[in-house]
Amino acid sequence: MSAAPASADPRTVAGVTAVALAELIALRHAALRLRPAPRARVPAAGVHPSRAHGRGMDYAESREYQPGDDIRALDWRVTARTGRAYTKLYREERERSLLLLVDTHPALRFGTRVRYKSVQAARAAALAAWAAQRQGDRVGALALGAQREAVPARAGARGVLAALGALARWDARAPIAPQPLSEGLARALALVRGELRVLLLSDGQSCDVGAEEALRRLRKRAEVRVLIVADALELAPPPRGRYAFAHAGARLALALDGDAARAAFVQRLGAGQQRLAAACAAVAVPWRRIDTAEDPLPALQALFDALPGAVR
């Protein structure tokens, strides 16, 4: 099954079966609806405290006040001049980064509603990146699954654009041998520097037996959140019937006439996202799940606001 029109090349429908860079850039405006993630006062259990921020550090710049900012850091001169509350940022505060861990496993290139899972994951990553940039955080990206490239975290819009360009580039490339999720998370752990937030975007198909321990180790060094992207067929049984599809040049038929067959179909197709959700719950990593048709913003906001151990 495919989200693409029958007459279209399934790799050229921008924003449906292929990641569209222009769409990711345009999501900058939609990201304004996201409340920023607060800076942690007390680190979550297992998370190493970062270096002290704010007072006593070298002043870097000022930006508009965001909920959760220390009111002792208000920039009264800019506030008085503009009529809006501004917060002073210090050098250490500017070093906080968001690392997007983007799963590029071939299984994400699938969708039966609106768009492919890979496209939905890229859209959610773009929203998170723009929200982080607005808060003054650096943004970087790391490909997991069928790609291996890393984009170093950079500040400002240039950092976001570099990450978004990588998302489109990874999506356009032919996949190489998929990498287990545990290996990708180990690569991410090696990149942890300073105060780091990590957002993993995956459908769980690459989730292997070592993923839970890898998540546990990463959570000890960084603030980790997971967004699971699922197709409608992975969440609920399809209507009864016989389904024709093409694979490797052959036309095949799938019989889903009975309740047992339909339930087994959903269970098998959604096994990956179930494994990843279970791994997150086991190590108290907040996670949310979205399908390919919904707006990612509510799920991202819930992740931004979530405490360790929050699940859906």
Side-chain angles (χ1 to χ4, degrees):
M1 299 182 184
S2 170
S7 61
D9 180 341
R11 289 300 304 144
T12 61
V13 185
V16 178
T17 60
V19 172
L21 180 57
E23 180 187 20
L24 303 187
I25 295 173
L27 286 170
R28 180 175 192 169
H29 302 290
L32 294 174
R33 292 154 49 198
L34 279 171
R35 297 189 307 276
R39 294 184 182 273
R41 296 288 187 270
V42 179
V47 176
H48 293 182
S50 59
R51 290 175 291 176
H53 302 313
R55 300 166 70 89
M57 300 293 105
D58 293 335
Y59 169 77
E61 63 181 3
S62 295
R63 62 151 166 77
E64 282 199 67
Y65 175 85
Q66 304 285 358
D69 286 347
D70 188 343
I71 61 173
R72 295 173 298 176
L74 284 176
D75 189 329
W76 295 107
R77 291 184 180 180
V78 178
T79 297
R81 185 171 69 249
T82 64
R84 300 188 302 274
Y86 271 74
T87 301
K88 290 182 178 180
L89 294 185
Y90 297 84
R91 193 165 308 278
E92 309 303 22
E93 286 182 311
R94 296 186 71 200
E95 290 181 351
R96 190 172 81 158
S97 301
L98 170 68
L99 178 62
L100 302 168
L101 299 186
V102 184
D103 195 341
T104 62
H105 192 282
L108 279 99
R109 296 183 178 184
F110 173 80
T112 62
R113 303 292 189 277
V114 183
R115 57 181 64 88
Y116 275 5
K117 291 184 286 184
S118 54
V119 175
Q120 182 73 316
R123 295 174 72 246
L127 289 166
W130 286 122
Q133 183 266 331
R134 182 163 54 94
Q135 196 176 3
D137 295 348
R138 302 161 69 89
V139 176
L142 177 66
L144 313 178
Q147 303 294 334
R148 305 287 192 274
E149 186 180 349
V151 177
R154 299 172 61 184
R158 293 178 63 184
V160 178
L161 292 174
L164 301 188
L167 298 185
R169 186 167 63 250
W170 298 337
D171 183 72
R173 288 177 180 167
I176 58 178
Q179 180 185 54
L181 182 59
S182 60
E183 294 182 14
L185 293 173
R187 290 171 51 225
L189 182 62
L191 298 178
V192 175
R193 300 288 186 278
E195 186 181 354
L196 181 68
R197 290 189 297 135
V198 173
L199 176 62
L200 169 63
L201 303 109
S202 173
D203 69 346
Q205 292 298 330
S206 62
C207 186
D208 58 326
V209 293
E212 180 180 318
E213 181 58 28
L215 268 176
R216 189 192 311 276
R217 292 178 180 175
L218 185 59
R219 180 183 173 275
K220 290 180 179 179
R221 299 282 305 281
E223 180 184 321
V224 183
R225 301 290 185 268
V226 175
L227 185 65
I228 300 174
V229 182
D231 183 73
L233 286 181
E234 300 167 347
L235 300 174
R240 293 180 178 84
R242 294 178 64 84
Y243 294 84
F245 62 97
H247 177 69
R251 293 192 62 81
L252 306 172
L254 178 65
L256 296 175
D257 298 317
D259 291 341
R262 293 165 63 232
F265 176 78
V266 172
Q267 177 67 27
R268 183 170 183 177
L269 202 61
Q273 53 102 355
Q274 294 168 13
R275 289 195 304 271
L276 181 52
C280 291
V283 298
V285 167
W287 64 277
R288 289 295 186 275
R289 177 169 41 213
I290 59 173
D291 64 33
T292 58
E294 66 184 284
D295 183 352
L297 280 170
L300 286 171
Q301 189 64 71
L303 287 176
F304 284 3
D305 296 340
L307 298 173
V311 299
R312 176 181 179 179

